[in-house]
Amino acid sequence: TQLLEQSPQFLSIQEGENLTVYCNSSSVFSSLQWYRQEPGEGPVLLVTVVTGGEVKKLKRLTFQFGDARKDSSLHITAAQPGDTGLYLCASREAIGSNYKLTFGKGTLLTVNP
Amino acid sequence: GAGVSQSPRYKVAKRGQDVALRCDPISGHVSLFWYQQALGQGPEFLTYFQNEAQLDKSGLPSDRFFAERPEGSVSTLKIQRTQQEDSAVYLCASSLDGAGNQPQHFGDGTRLSIL
């Protein structure tokens, strides 16, 4: 099972600031997903990255997949209180014809108004 | 609703009691997954169903954990003789196909507390 390390574990910032969180592994990802989980809710898929060097944007969120497909980052521009939540990265591991998700421990982001 | 529904949302039990957690997946979804999320951790895979068949149960922590999906829709996760270390949020997810081509949609989980 692939081990995913996320950093930082906790991040508390003021509204309007920029931030970057990271997801790393010692082995190559076939693909990587980012999720956001709000308190009392299940994780919600934000993006899937597949190709090394890939950059995807989702409004103020920018996702980057490392060239060697061993690391990924999530950058948020001008953070808002609504961005508060647990950001999880996950890799997919084959189980038969399907995939199970292996998650990192997450980065808990708090954006203060 | 159109999403994955889990019940109860909260469950408190005394150590040694048996509990049953229910998951109603999105209608028509073939695949169903159970994950366990301990406090301060990411979700960890427990088991996977394709229709009524349990194809992978490698993540179940002990033989006290049992899951079923007898008619290929609703699933129940049962924990016998609960222990304090079983306290966690139990998440259910479903996806449309059985080939990993569609994303997993998560429910809001059942928070289990063992006293």
Side-chain angles (χ1 to χ4, degrees), chain A:
Chain A
T1 299
Q2 191 164 20
L3 186 63
L4 281 70
E5 295 185 359
Q6 292 192 243
S7 61
Q9 188 175 357
F10 301 98
L11 188 56
S12 180
I13 62 171
Q14 295 299 120
E15 183 175 1
E17 292 183 358
N18 302 331
L19 67 114
T20 303
V21 299
Y22 301 91
C23 177
N24 298 285
S25 174
S26 58
S27 52
V28 174
F29 296 112
S30 58
S31 65
L32 188 80
Q33 297 183 328
W34 283 94
Y35 290 79
R36 180 169 66 213
Q37 184 177 25
E38 299 188 26
E41 299 184 6
V44 175
L45 179 64
L46 297 174
V47 77
T48 300
V49 287
V50 178
T51 306
E54 184 176 5
V55 177
K56 284 192 173 180
K57 293 189 175 183
L58 184 65
K59 296 183 180 178
R60 293 175 293 101
L61 279 61
T62 301
F63 304 86
Q64 189 158 3
F65 202 17
D67 291 341
R69 297 181 11 242
K70 289 186 176 182
D71 58 276
S72 181
S73 63
L74 159 58
H75 181 80
I76 302 179
T77 303
Q80 300 177 359
D83 295 327
T84 292
L86 180 67
Y87 288 81
L88 295 158
C89 64
S91 64
R92 302 201 308 169
E93 183 177 338
I95 45 173
S97 63
N98 211 328
Y99 297 90
K100 65 180 180 181
L101 297 171
T102 298
F103 288 89
K105 291 185 177 182
T107 293
L108 185 60
L109 172 66
T110 303
V111 182
N112 302 297

Side-chain angles (χ1 to χ4, degrees), chain B residues 49-109:
Chain B
F49 289 86
Q50 185 168 326
N51 296 307
E52 69 279 2
Q54 188 175 21
L55 299 186
D56 192 307
K57 53 181 181 180
S58 61
L60 296 176
S62 77
D63 58 8
R64 296 186 295 104
F65 287 70
F66 172 77
E68 59 183 5
R69 193 186 186 199
E71 298 180 357
S73 55
V74 171
S75 177
T76 304
L77 177 66
K78 299 179 179 178
I79 309 173
Q80 297 176 326
R81 305 181 302 282
T82 53
Q83 303 294 318
Q84 284 191 324
E85 61 263 29
D86 300 334
S87 295
V89 174
Y90 290 84
L91 295 165
C92 176
S94 69
S95 65
L96 182 60
D97 69 8
N101 296 319
Q102 300 296 325
Q104 295 183 24
H105 299 268
F106 285 83
D108 290 338

